[in-house]
Amino acid sequence: MNRAATILLLIFSVAACAPNVRTDSYSIGSVGQVNRTVAGTVVSVRPVSIDGNRGGGTAAGAALGGVAGSQVGGSDAANAIGAIGGIVIGAIAGAATERAASKTTGLEYVVQTENGNLMTIVQGSDPVFSKGAKVLVLYGSPSRIIVDPRH
């Protein structure tokens, strides 16, 4: 595998790890599932940084680095040493690439439910709910808040 193909494969592998923080997107496993929903009021909002690092970039980088490093040539010993070095360097580069590609911003909401409980939910920055907004908290994976259509 040549170096350009290795780099492209690493970039595409890491790009697939970007976090999905949209409130209007559901996984296929969520379709048809019933989730508990409670009404509440937003009591605070603050911007947060979301780090989508899940380790996929590290694994992809290590694999690609190992393959590339094993092509050092010369002897079996040189190939083995090259593979080990490639794994280490590839893992570090893959982790850094994944972190850069998957970092995004979001909002942390503190919501007070109608029964007085407080809960905190982090989600993407669209839509934005302001303090005092009437919302519905949808329990699930992931949980999220949406506009309460009754108000």
Side-chain angles (χ1 to χ4, degrees), residues 34-60:
V34 175
N35 291 320
R36 182 172 172 233
T37 303
V38 297
T41 304
V42 174
V43 295
S44 74
V45 182
R46 74 179 181 121
V48 294
S49 178
I50 299 170
D51 180 1
N53 191 350
R54 295 185 176 166
T58 302

Side-chain angles (χ1 to χ4, degrees), residues 56-101:
T58 302
L64 294 173
V67 169
S70 70
Q71 304 302 314
V72 170
S75 68
D76 289 343
N79 288 346
I81 291 169
I84 292 168
I87 289 170
V88 172
I89 292 169
I92 292 168
T97 303
E98 179 184 16
R99 180 170 297 256

Side-chain angles (χ1 to χ4, degrees), residues 78-142:
N79 288 346
I81 291 169
I84 292 168
I87 289 170
V88 172
I89 292 169
I92 292 168
T97 303
E98 179 184 16
R99 180 170 297 256
S102 64
K103 192 168 188 163
T104 188
T105 58
L107 295 169
E108 175 193 80
Y109 293 98
V110 177
V111 176
Q112 184 168 23
T113 62
E114 289 179 339
N115 65 2
N117 290 330
L118 291 175
M119 57 181 61
T120 304
I121 300 169
V122 175
Q123 62 187 39
S125 55
D126 184 37
V128 175
F129 299 99
S130 43
K131 185 176 176 180
K134 300 294 184 186
V135 296
L136 295 176
V137 179
L138 309 176
Y139 287 78
S141 183

